[in-house]
Amino acid sequence: MNPGAGIIVWIIVGLSAGWLASRITGTDGKSGALANVFIGVLGGLVGGFITHAVLAGLGYDNLDIAGVAGALFGTCALVFGWHALSRRRA
């Protein structure tokens, strides 16, 4: 269960999705964009690892595309969840 170079792709997907989420939610001023990028990388890594582990356990061969899709989903879920929680507190 070695994701190999896919981790770098998951980080890039997380960076991109985090930045895009900051543009969509309008929090790209102040420290919002930096927080979104950090959360994006975290979500990308978590989503990529979970997808890779689950699909490898099920015996799927092509894990690269699935890992990227999992990283993108994890990033989006984490960034939008973070913003939903932060709006509730304010």
Side-chain angles (χ1 to χ4, degrees):
M1 196 169 108
N2 183 10
I7 293 174
I8 295 171
V9 175
W10 300 342
I11 291 172
I12 293 170
V13 167
L15 284 169
S16 302
W19 174 80
L20 186 61
S22 72
R23 302 292 292 174
I24 290 171
T25 58
T27 60
D28 52 341
K30 298 184 184 178
S31 66
L34 185 60
N36 282 345
V37 168
F38 177 73
I39 292 170
V41 170
L42 183 65
L45 287 172
V46 170
F49 274 117
I50 289 173
T51 304
H52 189 274
V54 168
L55 293 179
L58 294 174
Y60 287 99
D61 292 333
N62 191 2
L63 297 175
D64 294 335
I65 301 284
V68 170
L72 183 60
F73 178 75
T75 299
C76 292
L78 205 58
V79 167
F80 289 116
W82 173 262
H83 284 290
L85 288 175
S86 65
R87 284 188 195 134
R88 278 189 156 175
R89 284 188 265 158

